[in-house]
Amino acid sequence: MCPNLIGLYIFFPIGKVTRCFSLVNYPDSMENNVTEFILTGLSQNEQVQQLCFFLFLLFYMILMTGNFFIVMTIQRSLNLNSPMYFFLSFLSFVDICYSSVTAPKLIIDFQAKVKRISFVGCMVQLFCVHLFGCTEIFILTVMAYDRYVAICKPLRYTTIMDWKVCSILVLTCWLGGFVHSFIQTILTVQLPFCGPNLIDHYFCDVHPLLKLACTDTYAVGLIVVANSGMISLSCFVILVGSYTVILLSFKTRSSEGRHKALSTCASHITVVILFFVPCLFIYLRPSTTFTEDKMVAVFYTIITPMLNPMIYTLRNMEVKNAMKRLWLGRNRRYPDVKLNGVGRA
């Protein structure tokens, strides 16, 4: 083991010599002697915890059921084969993964007197939260671009958004989420934690963990803001710009075309607001924590993924008809509606 270095080590064997590197040097006195963390959860009141147990269990069941039906309906319905529905099914899959990182642990902890999580488990949860969260940010941005092309360049839509481009965009979302999450995790896992080990949150996130580190985390906090905050802000600006261009294009459309385009964008804009506003509140600020952070985090980790299936299907006749036909067997009453690959949502 390399002297005077603790935390994350990267070994490079060169002959009989092994070189060791760490992103940050810490003195020997700052040893990481924390093997587990204690989560405070959403509330310390036992009655509130019992109420929250049933409430969030219901939320999670609705979330899993709704997103599962979206994925299966799109995968098994031949008429839902446009890029918009391909991205929507991918969004629902990411929502399932994203919420499953935090919700089951939160629900179980409502019944636990002491909410423990191991150091390794905490780092794994941190990595997965940012992996799926950042991937969702990128897929929402891609969906906005898809709507821009469909509405503003309808004649070139099938040429621009072919399946090769869609596959590359989805792969890029995963890759971007992985790179972001890797940076967040590698910055956190190398920090020395020597006590206390009480995390004022219901899952492991960067800001609460930086607060527990036994060293100055100012530089790391700036990197976190540059990483998480700027990704959220830049994608949000791109989304706002895309939908602004789409809304301005309504002037040249007929009343019917204007209604159809507005219906297409309404659900997307709703999801963007519900997801991005809490994310910007949490990550676009210096490394500080507030008591409101836990309730704000509930919105982008549980509430928004739960509402996404309802938001995207309530105004979408294609998806509703496909669900009724697939799951209820109503073939004649709800015929297919094909919109030349553009679709409505």
Side-chain angles (χ1 to χ4, degrees):
M1 190 64 69
C2 302
N4 300 323
L5 293 177
I6 63 173
L8 180 67
Y9 299 97
I10 304 175
F11 295 93
F12 294 94
I14 303 177
K16 295 183 178 181
V17 180
T18 299
R19 294 186 179 181
C20 179
F21 301 91
S22 176
L23 293 183
V24 180
N25 291 358
Y26 301 116
D28 287 333
S29 59
M30 293 185 180
E31 295 183 357
N32 190 355
N33 53 22
V34 172
T35 58
E36 68 174 11
F37 294 101
I38 306 297
L39 300 169
T40 60
L42 287 179
S43 174
Q44 302 298 311
N45 186 295
E46 291 188 6
Q47 294 181 341
V48 173
Q49 290 191 69
Q50 292 300 317
L51 176 62
C52 287
F53 171 78
F54 293 104
L55 184 63
F56 280 89
L57 180 60
L58 177 63
F59 286 169
Y60 187 61
M61 292 173 62
I62 295 173
L63 183 156
M64 294 295 289
T65 304
N67 284 290
F68 173 78
F69 277 132
I70 290 288
V71 172
M72 294 305 297
T73 299
I74 293 175
Q75 292 297 318
R76 298 179 61 181
S77 298
L78 297 178
N79 64 310
L80 302 181
N81 60 355
S82 69
M84 182 186 73
Y85 295 117
F86 173 70
F87 294 134
L88 179 57
S89 65
F90 178 60
L91 176 67
S92 293
F93 172 74
V94 172
D95 277 337
I96 291 174
C97 298
Y98 186 35
S99 295
S100 297
V101 175
T102 58
K105 171 68 175 168
L106 172 64
I107 294 169
I108 293 173
D109 283 346
F110 283 133
Q111 299 296 314
K113 293 184 178 180
V114 181
K115 304 167 179 58
R116 292 187 173 92
I117 185 169
S118 67
F119 181 86
V120 175
C122 185
M123 294 302 120
V124 171
Q125 188 181 56
L126 172 68
F127 177 84
C128 293
V129 164
H130 283 271
L131 170 63
F132 296 120
C134 189
T135 302
E136 178 152 349
I137 286 176
F138 288 141
I139 194 64
L140 288 172
T141 308
V142 168
M143 291 175 73
Y145 174 71
D146 173 71
R147 292 300 84 204
Y148 163 76
V149 177
I151 294 173
C152 298
K153 301 180 180 180
L155 298 180
R156 299 179 55 194
Y157 178 73
T158 55
T159 304
I160 297 175
M161 300 299 294
D162 60 23
W163 289 111
K164 181 180 179 180
V165 171
C166 293
S167 300
I168 292 174
L169 289 173
V170 167
L171 182 61
T172 303
C173 291
W174 277 117
L175 182 60
F178 176 81
V179 172
H180 161 77
S181 183
F182 180 78
I183 294 174
Q184 296 289 82
T185 307
I186 205 172
L187 287 171
T188 306
V189 75
Q190 67 170 348
L191 294 172
F193 297 96
C194 48
N197 64 340
L198 184 65
I199 299 178
D200 187 21
H201 216 302
Y202 66 90
F203 68 91
C204 292
D205 204 1
V206 178
H207 289 322
L209 287 169
L210 292 182
K211 190 176 179 180
L212 299 180
C214 305
T215 185
D216 182 16
T217 59
Y218 178 76
V220 177
L222 290 179
I223 298 174
V224 168
V225 171
N227 188 17
S228 296
M230 294 311 297
I231 287 177
S232 301
L233 181 62
S234 58
C235 289
F236 183 71
V237 170
I238 293 172
L239 286 163
V240 171
S242 299
Y243 289 121
T244 300
V245 173
I246 292 173
L247 293 174
L248 290 176
S249 69
F250 290 173
K251 296 179 179 180
T252 60
R253 293 177 174 269
S254 63
S255 59
E256 181 181 355
R258 190 181 302 114
H259 173 74
K260 188 178 296 185
L262 184 60
S263 176
T264 303
C265 296
S267 56
H268 295 259
I269 295 174
T270 304
V271 171
V272 166
I273 293 173
L274 288 174
F275 189 81
F276 273 88
V277 172
C279 284
L280 291 172
F281 175 79
I282 296 291
Y283 296 110
L284 195 63
R285 69 174 193 233
S287 182
T288 56
T289 57
F290 300 118
T291 55
E292 296 84 4
D293 288 353
K294 291 184 285 186
M295 294 307 301
V296 172
V298 168
F299 275 91
Y300 63 82
T301 58
I302 298 176
I303 301 300
T304 302
M306 179 188 70
L307 295 177
N308 279 353
M310 291 179 278
I311 293 172
Y312 280 110
T313 57
L314 285 178
R315 296 175 61 86
N316 191 315
M317 289 304 299
E318 284 186 281
V319 176
K320 286 194 291 186
N321 291 345
M323 282 186 169
K324 292 172 182 177
R325 183 175 57 255
L326 183 63
W327 302 106
L328 300 179
R330 299 180 181 179
N331 294 320
R332 294 182 179 179
R333 186 177 177 183
Y334 301 99
D336 289 353
V337 180
K338 191 68 175 177
L339 296 178
N340 300 323
V342 176
R344 284 180 59 185

